[in-house]
Amino acid sequence: MIGFGFGTRRSKKGGVGSPAIATIAPSATWTGTAGSGFASAPSDPQRTTAKPAMQLMVPPNQFFTDQLTVGVMAMANDAGSLMNALGLEKVIVYCEGASHDITQPVLRTFNDANGRPVTYLGWWITLTHPGQNGEAQVYFEAVPRDPAMQARVIGPYSFFPESQLHDYEIEVAASQPVLTGQRYQTIQDAVSWVRNQSPRNPLITITEGGTYDWRAIGGGYEGDGYLTVAATQPVFIIATQLGYLRIQYDGVRFQGENITFDASQLSQVYHENPNQRQHWFDGCRFVDARPRVTLENGNVKYFLSMSRDSAYFTEVYVEGINDAANGASLVRGCTFKRGFRDVFTGARLAIGNTIEDWTSGEFRTSVDALSVSYSGSAATATLEISGLNNTADRIVTMKTDGAVVGTFTIDRNDPSSGFYWVSDLVAYINTLSEWQATLLDDSRRAAVLNGNALAPSDVKSGPLTITAWFDHHADLWQSISNPTENVIIWGNAGFRLGLQNLAIGAHPYRDFFFINNALHSSETDYDFGLLINQLGGVQSHVVAAHNSFPNQAVKLRTDMTGVQEYDPDTYCLMAANVFQAMAWGDEADADLLLSSNHLHAGSSDPAGAVTTTLGGDASDLFADPGEGDFTPQGALRSSRAEPFVLHDLNGAKRSANSTKGAVR
């Protein structure tokens, strides 16, 4: 199995290096107070046309004593290509009255929180300590090569040059005596003490391995930087008090793989206020070791997401959970395994991640739950179920000759209510004269019977078998905002998936980039054949280029109506992708540039497309996509064209006549 994304690739970088990165420090007018170095701070213009997409590659609010390298990922469509500096003239970095122009993105290699080298393409710069401590504000401005576009400014982001990294350092050791202000036996006691000191950037180090049940402490706090929690021995964090981990300290950095959140005993790491410092999960682990289809009271095991609000996730290992990094500010170099539902829905930047065995198909597979029949003299007998899957107060109604003879309101809150389980429904039906019900499976609660509503169905002429299944499906990314603007999904790879790879629509999308992603769908998954990429809604400057989807097709939904109707502008681009097929829902829209895509043999060339190539299929276009090797083979290797993006998924530079898809 190959490495995935140059964010996590360890070797064979194909020209990848760490070239000299420019430095910048606050100007002499900076007093140490945030913003004091600016005569006039940069501002982002109100959007009237296309802008570059740009997102921060590192969490803000970091302290440093010497220097700190920070950067952004930024790009724009430059007349149908991103080959020249990702479509940008430059990225300008502003730091308290000083500025620097970065004219090219570079591949930077550095060690992650666990000491492993990682490489990311970005617009990088190194902040240096000017000799004055304080809070320095940094802005980034992406200037497009296309003069008809607007620039985009993001910031301010605060960084802190200081004489020492941590103002407090506390130890946690469960078996050692308490030393006030130095060592505590529980994490919450250490947090409680340090929080009362009004810290700026403290460190708590757990020095004894084991399981720590982290309990809430009341109140709330936010420092200038982060409360870093690290461990010198493997520790498991659970939260049995509330069922979720409520730290009541916004801005905690969980650092290193010695920290594992046991997701079987906590449903989320809580964050108090979306406007305060976000949590940062840095090289730690989230694991639920139970089987994926583990039911709790007949329902899907309870887990919300790794963190509430908009956390930062860098090189995190994730296994066995659902909706993992939804709403994140940054998802960088993470590994996602054996999960279900969405991966990183609503994330602003997802780069260099690996996804393996992620599907909701097992939940959607139905089981026979009960059979119902009627043996009386009425001419007709029917059973119907109202409501949507797993919603409250669904009603089962039994009728004979059109008249109601019984109703059963399903309860989804109290397993002991007598109205919760399929067996409860069976028992009720058997109280009705001349009605018979047989329990076939009681593992799933009655709220998921038939999946969704069941129209009146005959039980007179023979037994009616009713199934139970959960109506969950999985997406790589979906929008959580309306409109959606300034999103980058770059260099992510996955296999054994049951995901909808690219599905955007139903409201406006602006400045959205989906580049160098390679995703293989499992052909044995329950949802295989139902999964399709769809683009809909009003779209401005939405670009999908050099993606490899061996066995998913794309539909451009001009057949929809209202807000769902696909309406791209002339800044939209779909180029050098590999899809099973591509088709317009209805009439083609000439504003979209469809260029140099590769489709399976037997597919039709979409109207308006240029230089489309056809040939091969999922079995022979890639080396071994089912195990994550997306090296081009066969008809794909011979179907070359001028590339649209210089670097591929693995960080290698594409030649002037390159293969299509994510890997050169």
Side-chain angles (χ1 to χ4, degrees):
M1 181 173 63
I2 67 168
F4 294 102
F6 50 86
T8 52
R9 197 172 174 90
R10 306 293 180 228
S11 61
K12 193 183 175 184
K13 298 187 180 69
V16 173
S18 292
I21 293 173
T23 62
I24 192 171
S27 68
T29 59
W30 180 61
T31 66
T33 301
S36 60
F38 291 110
S40 177
S43 62
D44 187 43
Q46 182 177 354
R47 190 185 191 278
T48 58
T49 187
K51 290 173 143 182
M54 178 167 56
Q55 292 290 348
L56 198 61
M57 289 276 288
V58 300
N61 299 100
Q62 295 187 57
F63 278 49
F64 63 97
T65 57
D66 182 23
Q67 61 183 29
L68 176 70
T69 300
V70 302
V72 295
M73 190 55 157
M75 61 198 68
N77 179 5
D78 177 25
S81 177
L82 283 76
M83 279 293 290
N84 194 338
L86 291 175
L88 301 183
E89 176 187 331
K90 57 186 175 181
V91 169
I92 308 172
V93 184
Y94 302 93
C95 178
E96 294 291 353
S99 66
H100 179 82
D101 293 356
I102 308 174
T103 57
Q104 290 285 340
V106 298
L107 288 157
R108 174 178 174 246
T109 298
F110 58 95
N111 288 339
D112 67 11
N114 294 306
R116 300 187 182 98
V118 292
T119 302
Y120 299 102
L121 182 69
W123 302 79
W124 299 101
I125 194 161
T126 297
L127 308 178
T128 61
H129 198 302
Q132 165 75 52
N133 294 338
E135 179 179 357
Q137 291 188 334
V138 177
Y139 296 79
F140 296 88
E141 180 179 7
V143 181
R145 290 177 55 81
D146 184 343
M149 285 188 185
Q150 295 174 274
R152 181 182 295 279
V153 176
I154 60 173
Y157 299 109
S158 291
F159 296 93
F160 296 86
E162 292 291 340
S163 55
Q164 63 180 31
L165 194 58
H166 300 292
D167 48 350
Y168 294 92
E169 297 189 20
I170 309 297
E171 179 187 0
V172 171
S175 69
Q176 297 301 309
V178 172
L179 297 174
T180 301
Q182 299 178 51
R183 185 172 61 214
Y184 293 88
Q185 295 178 333
T186 68
I187 303 173
Q188 63 267 18
D189 285 346
V191 174
S192 181
W193 183 86
V194 78
R195 194 181 65 177
N196 289 336
Q197 314 312 309
S198 300
R200 301 181 65 219
N201 197 57
L203 169 66
I204 292 176
T205 304
I206 306 169
T207 58
E208 287 187 2
T211 297
Y212 287 81
D213 192 353
W214 193 331
R215 304 176 73 81
I217 56 178
Y221 186 74
E222 174 192 34
D224 290 334
Y226 295 91
L227 163 60
T228 297
V229 178
T232 61
Q233 302 294 323
V235 301
F236 295 85
I237 294 176
I238 63 176
T240 62
Q241 179 188 27
L242 300 174
Y244 59 93
L245 177 53
R246 189 166 189 178
I247 305 166
Q248 291 165 299
Y249 189 128
D250 277 355
V252 180
R253 177 185 185 181
F254 300 96
Q255 187 177 50
E257 62 190 353
N258 277 336
I259 296 176
T260 297
F261 293 92
D262 182 351
S264 71
Q265 298 191 66
L266 60 83
S267 61
Q268 187 179 67
V269 177
Y270 196 80
H271 184 263
E272 298 291 329
N273 187 333
N275 298 316
Q276 293 189 162
R277 190 85 60 252
Q278 298 298 319
H279 295 321
W280 176 9
F281 301 86
D282 188 18
C284 57
R285 297 161 52 88
F286 272 84
V287 176
D288 186 339
R290 296 175 296 175
R292 176 163 37 210
V293 184
T294 295
L295 301 181
E296 298 174 345
N297 289 322
N299 193 25
V300 175
K301 57 185 180 180
Y302 185 65
F303 188 83
L304 296 172
S305 63
M306 289 192 287
S307 182
R308 185 173 184 254
D309 295 333
S310 303
Y312 298 88
F313 299 95
T314 54
E315 293 80 44
V316 176
Y317 179 86
V318 180
E319 182 178 352
I321 65 175
N322 55 277
D323 301 301
N326 289 2
S329 295
L330 171 66
V331 188
R332 190 192 75 194
C334 298
T335 299
F336 298 91
K337 287 188 176 182
R338 207 175 49 81
F340 62 101
R341 290 207 295 246
D342 294 358
V343 184
F344 39 67
T345 271
R348 299 172 195 167
L349 171 60
I351 182 168
N353 300 289
T354 302
I355 309 100
E356 178 184 346
D357 184 21
W358 201 277
T359 174
S360 297
E362 294 163 281
F363 294 99
R364 288 169 55 78
T365 303
S366 63
V367 298
D368 292 343
L370 76 159
S371 65
V372 182
S373 61
Y374 171 76
S375 59
S377 59
T380 64
T382 61
L383 181 147
E384 60 191 87
I385 306 175
S386 68
L388 299 177
N389 186 270
N390 223 0
T391 56
D393 299 326
R394 300 184 71 192
I395 299 174
V396 183
T397 303
M398 284 63 67
K399 295 179 180 179
T400 56
D401 290 334
V404 174
V405 296
T407 61
F408 182 94
T409 300
I410 297 171
D411 171 28
R412 65 169 194 166
N413 296 316
D414 182 4
S416 63
S417 66
F419 297 90
Y420 186 92
W421 296 100
V422 175
S423 56
D424 294 331
L425 174 60
V426 168
Y428 172 78
I429 292 174
N430 284 328
T431 67
L432 302 178
S433 177
E434 302 175 315
W435 285 73
Q436 300 84 38
T438 302
L439 179 66
L440 304 176
D441 185 281
D442 208 25
S443 64
R444 302 181 178 189
R445 64 184 184 178
V448 298
L449 283 172
N450 198 57
N452 290 297
L454 174 67
S457 300
D458 174 38
V459 296
K460 167 75 174 178
S461 59
L464 171 68
T465 298
I466 304 172
T467 62
W469 55 277
F470 296 91
D471 192 13
H472 295 305
H473 73 276
D475 290 304
L476 180 72
W477 185 98
Q478 272 286 347
S479 174
I480 58 175
S481 61
N482 182 8
T484 296
E485 183 176 328
N486 191 21
V487 173
I488 301 172
I489 312 297
W490 173 290
N492 303 286
F495 59 100
R496 293 200 290 273
L497 305 179
L499 298 171
Q500 196 169 24
N501 297 341
L502 175 61
I504 55 176
H507 59 252
Y509 285 76
R510 306 165 182 163
D511 312 318
F512 181 105
F513 285 76
F514 199 91
I515 309 287
N516 279 338
N517 300 288
L519 303 164
H520 183 268
S521 302
S522 170
E523 298 190 7
T524 62
D525 189 80
Y526 177 86
D527 282 332
F528 185 76
L530 302 175
L531 298 169
I532 185 172
N533 304 285
Q534 302 183 73
L535 276 71
V538 177
Q539 297 192 7
S540 173
H541 197 206
V542 173
V543 174
H546 282 287
N547 298 293
S548 293
F549 297 167
N551 47 11
Q552 275 196 29
V554 174
K555 190 167 186 180
L556 308 172
R557 302 306 302 265
T558 50
D559 57 321
M560 303 297 283
T561 59
V563 296
Q564 294 183 317
E565 182 180 4
Y566 182 47
D567 183 14
D569 71 2
T570 56
Y571 289 107
C572 290
L573 170 68
M574 295 192 72
N577 300 291
V578 182
F579 299 134
Q580 181 182 34
M582 181 187 295
W584 295 98
D586 197 351
E587 295 295 323
D589 190 321
D591 287 336
L592 174 65
L593 176 57
L594 286 171
S595 182
S596 296
N597 295 291
H598 186 89
L599 310 177
H600 287 191
S603 300
S604 298
D605 191 4
V610 295
T611 60
T612 304
T613 52
L614 307 175
D617 58 30
S619 68
D620 57 18
L621 291 176
F622 302 94
D624 191 4
E627 291 299 321
D629 189 345
F630 293 91
T631 304
Q633 302 290 319
L636 182 58
R637 178 168 288 279
S638 60
S639 299
R640 294 176 174 267
E642 181 180 350
F644 290 76
V645 181
L646 179 59
H647 292 93
D648 77 353
L649 181 150
N650 296 317
K653 288 185 177 180
R654 293 184 170 98
S655 63
N657 188 34
S658 182
T659 51
K660 302 168 184 180
V663 178
R664 71 173 189 179

